[in-house]
Amino acid sequence: MLNTVFIALRTLFFLIFVTGIFYPIVVTGFSERLFPSQSGGSLIRINGQIVGSELLAQKFTKDEYFWPRPSAADFATMASGASNSSATNASLKAKVDERKDFLLKKHPDQSTVPPDLLFASGSGLDPHISPAAASFQMQRIATARKLSSEQTVELKKLLEESIEKPSFGFIGEKRINVLRLNLNLNSKFGKIDP
């Protein structure tokens, strides 16, 4: 009996060491050496200052910037997640209708709103929007920033250059990272505090 307890305790301590200490140190060491940016949170720095992560959406509300997808958790990283409301939920329908009315009022040149601007992602922190969602917002930004027709053409070119291809060429869809696009917008047309 005592021998069985001793074997069980030795096994327990061995597994604690392997899975709780050795394995995490090895994996962390490899990831920091092979993927330093990703293991550090894919942070975006400008002049040494951290301005965000390319993996997490940030809240942009000014008319001079591209807006991300809505967030069920108001872009909070600790309480991230979806609303878990079904398509038949009256509260979700009311929220979507409210978002649609707001977006169409802000974009009078448009008649239909891309779905990714109406519905939150599963995490509520998706940093990407579709090229259609970015194009939908382009005229609002050009008007708010008082861009000339030549600058509006440059804005469209900037938008097209910001399109990321599907991962590995076939996983997912084309997308645009909102934070990177807004940083490029600041760089090209001047910074406005978000």
Side-chain angles (χ1 to χ4, degrees), residues 92-142:
L92 176 64
K93 183 175 179 352
K95 269 186 197 164
V96 169
D97 288 341
E98 181 182 322
R99 288 175 188 152
K100 183 178 181 180
D101 292 342
F102 173 77
L103 287 166
L104 289 175
K105 190 184 302 179
K106 285 285 195 175
H107 303 89
D109 59 313
Q110 301 289 333
S111 59
T112 56
V113 180
D116 52 328
L117 292 177
L118 296 174
F119 297 95
S121 65
S123 69
L125 297 170
D126 188 350
H128 297 97
I129 56 175
S130 66
S135 293
F136 174 85
Q137 301 180 62
M138 201 172 72
Q139 189 56 51
R140 170 184 47 84
I141 292 161

Side-chain angles (χ1 to χ4, degrees), residues 132-192:
S135 293
F136 174 85
Q137 301 180 62
M138 201 172 72
Q139 189 56 51
R140 170 184 47 84
I141 292 161
T143 302
R145 285 183 174 255
K146 298 176 176 74
L147 300 181
S148 67
S149 57
E150 293 83 19
Q151 289 175 313
T152 303
V153 170
E154 288 180 41
L155 175 62
K156 184 173 180 163
K157 186 177 178 194
L158 177 69
L159 195 147
E160 289 169 0
E161 291 169 352
S162 299
I163 297 174
E164 299 173 12
K165 303 217 181 304
S167 301
F168 305 108
F170 67 94
I171 298 175
E173 297 183 14
K174 291 181 181 179
R175 59 198 178 272
I176 295 175
N177 186 294
V178 178
L179 177 59
R180 286 208 174 272
L181 178 59
N182 283 334
L183 291 173
N184 291 336
L185 191 64
N186 277 347
S187 160
K188 190 153 193 93
F189 301 108
K191 183 178 180 187
I192 297 168

